[in-house]
Amino acid sequence: MRYIVVSGGVLSGLGKGVTASSIGVLMKACGLRVTSIKIDPYLNSDAGTMSPFEHGEVFVLDDGGEVDLDLGNYERFLDLNLGRDNNLTTGKVYSKVIEAERRGDYLGKTVQVIPHITDAVMDWIETVAHQCSDDSGLEPEVCIIELGGTVGDIESAPYVEALRQFQFRVGRDNVTFVHVSLVPVMGPVGEQKTKPTQHTVKELMGLGITPDILVCRSSAPLNPETRAKLAAFCHVPQEAVISTHDVPNIYHVPLMLEAQGLCATLGLKVQPNGLLDDWRRMAHHLDALQENVTIAMVGKYTDLSDAYLSVIKALQHAAMAADRKLTIDWLEAGELEHGVADDVHADAWKRLRAADGILVPGGFGHRGVEGKILAANYARTNGVPYFGICLGLQVAAIEFARNVLGMEGSTSTEFDEDCPNPAVIFMPEISTTHLGGTMRLGSRPTLFQVDDCKVKRLYGGSESVDERHRHRYEVNPELIERLEAAGLTFVGKDETGQRCEILELPDHPYFVAVQYHPEFKSRPGRPSPPFLGLILAASGQPLP
Ligand code: GLN
């Protein structure tokens, strides 16, 4: 087992996750089986209770783990299926150690950060690294470990110490330390500045870790003098100074790393397995796309696109497969509602009407819901392609109940507990006292109820599909019969046949909504079927 530890310095947002995933792609191109572990030094047990507004999207895994969005990067780049243990947090490690202490496992010893927390971190890494995370059924050969945060933070210190010790536990030759830093460009001639990198490497070395490879984020490729200077001051060979400069799309990143000899620096050689050729094709295909498709994304955190990262990626995968250049128009759902300033309202509606298709993504809480219901109504009554995910399905059902069944004031009990005719209700099995990890989570089967429907055809005619879930509410099962009689068909249900999973309108170009989150399983080159349906319909192309 070879471990590649990726740490970051200077500031956050340098694309450490993309760099680490891209290194993983190169390892796969060298013929190795890869897995990954993301370390998040916060005290939350998992990302499930964190606001997407603060922390970006909560990524959901097959096993129901609610994890950091970087695990999405790894799954997409490396085509993995990770588990909750691949995201190590301070909350998880401390809980484990404190539980062991309560059991009496430490036999009277004083329990301390060093060695008990650091040992627990090392044990965790070693165990998880050996777990199979793809469909080979075999143990991985390389484990990419991404350390969240910035080296020097108080909260990441125990991890840096654990990783320092880890090189002796598994052998120095089996660990490669990659440090990601920033090279800012200053002044009229665009001078590349090395001092921030010198400082962060000094900090890392002070903590006992000598980087083997420096990855420098910069706007343009590093010039030879910058590279030489960084090598001299940061104690690495020149060929181990790699630049990640701006590129037109992220598929270029693995190619850019390989072009600078990263595999050779790691003592490896790219194998003729065609993987990098696929990436090259995708990178250039994306650059060359001409015809546009515009999707209005009607959401709540629209000024923070990380909150919908996987939805964006899934739209991109689908657009690439449909040969369209994707434009996402972010619409703040609340601006479609009555009662906002006239010009804001008019502008929001103008943009909604200009879009080729409408997507209402998942969400929690009352804000913006009425705007989402209006968007679903507009799409349904005007034949505009609509795709609803999770809350996007629930608002489509509410809209139909109100405007077709005449159930005025119907909503979800999430927004009005005493609503007289709720179209969406709280699921009976969900905890009412604990928020963390208590939703209907993870991969569950959906069984198609009819043969002749768009979504089943998009999924290639399978009888059932496994997709990932994250919700507390569902379409009121008592209402399903009436909704169906009025023309809204529930083409997919769970294995009990009671719970609604997929709905569609038969006599509409594309009015589809799913209770699950198909965005989490979309892959470049293998787009999620209902996303592909939206893009095909929105760009006037035939559906399968
Ligand atoms: N808030 C809704 C529920 O809990 C929708 C959740 C979601 O969109 N992920 O069911």
Side-chain angles (χ1 to χ4, degrees), residues 517-531:
H517 290 268
E519 66 271 27
F520 296 133
K521 284 177 72 169
S522 184
R523 300 280 188 270
R526 213 168 351 105
S528 164
F531 278 91

Side-chain angles (χ1 to χ4, degrees), residues 50 165 194 334 357 445 449 537:
M50 297 168 89
Q165 294 180 24
T194 62
Q449 309 291 306

Side-chain angles (χ1 to χ4, degrees), residues 460-496:
S462 323
E463 291 304 320
S464 78
V465 291
D466 293 325
E467 293 276 14
R468 300 179 184 171
H469 294 71
R470 183 170 189 255
H471 65 128
R472 294 192 177 87
Y473 294 81
E474 63 173 329
V475 174
N476 188 350
E478 285 177 16
L479 217 67
I480 290 188
E481 216 171 290
R482 286 180 62 195
L483 291 166
E484 291 217 277
L488 190 63
T489 46
F490 292 85
V491 300
K493 291 188 179 160
D494 75 343
E495 63 275 56
T496 69

Side-chain angles (χ1 to χ4, degrees), residues 40 66 124 127 195 198 366 512:
D40 281 308
E66 299 172 277
W124 190 298
T127 308
K195 196 69 91 187
Q198 294 182 39
H366 193 238
V512 165

Side-chain angles (χ1 to χ4, degrees), residues 387 446 448 453-467 502 514 516-518 527-531 544:
F387 181 38
T446 293
F448 282 104
C453 68
K454 297 182 189 82
V455 184
K456 185 171 177 182
R457 282 196 294 275
L458 281 160
Y459 275 103
S462 323
E463 291 304 320
S464 78
V465 291
D466 293 325
E467 293 276 14
I502 310 172
V514 294
Y516 52 78
H517 290 268
S528 164
F531 278 91

Side-chain angles (χ1 to χ4, degrees), residues 361-430:
F364 295 83
H366 193 238
R367 185 164 68 81
V369 164
E370 289 302 318
K372 293 176 186 174
I373 295 173
L374 290 169
N377 174 262
Y378 167 77
R380 180 177 65 79
T381 54
N382 290 281
V384 177
Y386 174 90
F387 181 38
I389 299 173
C390 207
L391 182 63
L393 173 138
Q394 298 172 1
V395 297
I398 295 169
E399 189 279 318
F400 201 85
R402 281 187 191 174
N403 300 318
V404 180
L405 297 185
M407 294 167 60
E408 212 182 304
S410 179
T411 186
S412 164
T413 53
E414 178 177 3
F415 316 126
D416 178 4
E417 260 185 71
D418 309 314
C419 162
N421 282 313
V424 177
I425 59 166
F426 194 75
M427 287 183 288
E429 69 266 36
I430 303 299

Side-chain angles (χ1 to χ4, degrees), residues 10-32:
V10 185
L11 44 88
S12 62
L14 293 179
K16 185 159 35 108
V18 171
T19 301
S21 323
S22 300
I23 294 174
V25 172
L26 291 185
M27 298 299 94
K28 271 186 86 167
C30 292
L32 300 168

